Amino acid sequence: MTVHEGLAIGALARRTGLAVSAIRYYEEQGLITPWRNAGGQRRYQRADIRRLSFVMIAQQFGLTLPEIRSVLSGLPGNRTPTPKDWRVISKDLRAYLDQRIDTLIRLRDNLDGCIGCGCLSLPKCALYNPDDRANASGSGPRYLMGDKPEG
């Protein structure tokens, strides 16, 4: 097979580790766009291996498929993306990833303490979140989301 013939869906599945059904789903979601050969079979660019790999990694970082589609829309559709193309979308993701990293660090460092969720089940909660004051800032684990305990 030459590069210009494209990859069959089975070859793409073997290379990415994704099920054929997952590849078809990602195609339906607009994350990859195959073409049809003369026999009507789907064919994929080798660059779709990287796109699908990005999808798998981005999902692990919590991006939704619409968010991933938005990021990938910054890549050219008419040619194989260059390193420069990937740098551009990487720069756009940096702030999001930095924020996620900060949240994960806070989670790692504070999960055994009061996180401002309102459960008031830990002894530290009476000190850091008396009478569930964190609730005034909104729902969820307020201190893990970046709010600071009063006091």
Side-chain angles (χ1 to χ4, degrees):
M1 175 189 80
T2 68
V3 172
H4 300 292
E5 293 174 346
L7 294 170
I9 195 166
L12 187 60
R14 282 189 297 280
R15 186 60 186 90
T16 61
L18 291 167
V20 167
S21 58
I23 293 171
R24 287 188 179 130
Y25 178 73
Y26 291 143
E27 176 186 338
E28 289 170 8
Q29 296 302 307
L31 301 173
I32 54 174
T33 307
W35 72 92
R36 302 269 180 179
N37 67 9
Q41 298 171 321
R42 287 179 175 92
R43 289 293 184 250
Y44 299 87
Q45 297 178 43
R46 291 197 68 83
D48 288 333
I49 295 171
R50 186 174 182 105
R51 284 177 183 261
L52 291 173
S53 296
F54 174 79
V55 170
M56 291 185 290
I57 292 167
Q59 285 180 309
Q60 288 180 7
F61 280 104
L63 272 76
T64 65
L65 289 181
E67 290 169 329
I68 294 168
R69 184 176 37 257
S70 176
V71 170
L72 289 177
S73 72
L75 293 175
N78 59 345
R79 62 173 170 77
T80 300
T82 64
K84 181 181 178 187
D85 296 325
W86 284 103
R87 273 193 303 278
V88 168
I89 68 168
S90 174
K91 187 192 305 186
D92 292 342
L93 277 176
R94 183 170 298 276
Y96 172 81
L97 293 175
D98 286 344
Q99 185 247 350
R100 293 282 303 184
I101 290 167
D102 290 344
T103 300
L104 288 170
I105 289 170
R106 280 194 308 275
L107 176 62
R108 179 198 67 199
D109 294 347
N110 298 304
L111 192 56
D112 63 341
C114 182
I115 60 173
C117 68
C119 76
L120 305 177
S121 63
L122 302 175
K124 290 182 181 179
C125 294
L127 298 171
Y128 290 101
N129 189 20
D131 300 319
D132 192 20
R133 285 190 204 155
N135 185 44
S137 298
S139 60
R142 300 310 311 169
Y143 303 153
L144 285 181
M145 295 167 64
D147 294 351
K148 302 288 184 217
E150 292 179 19

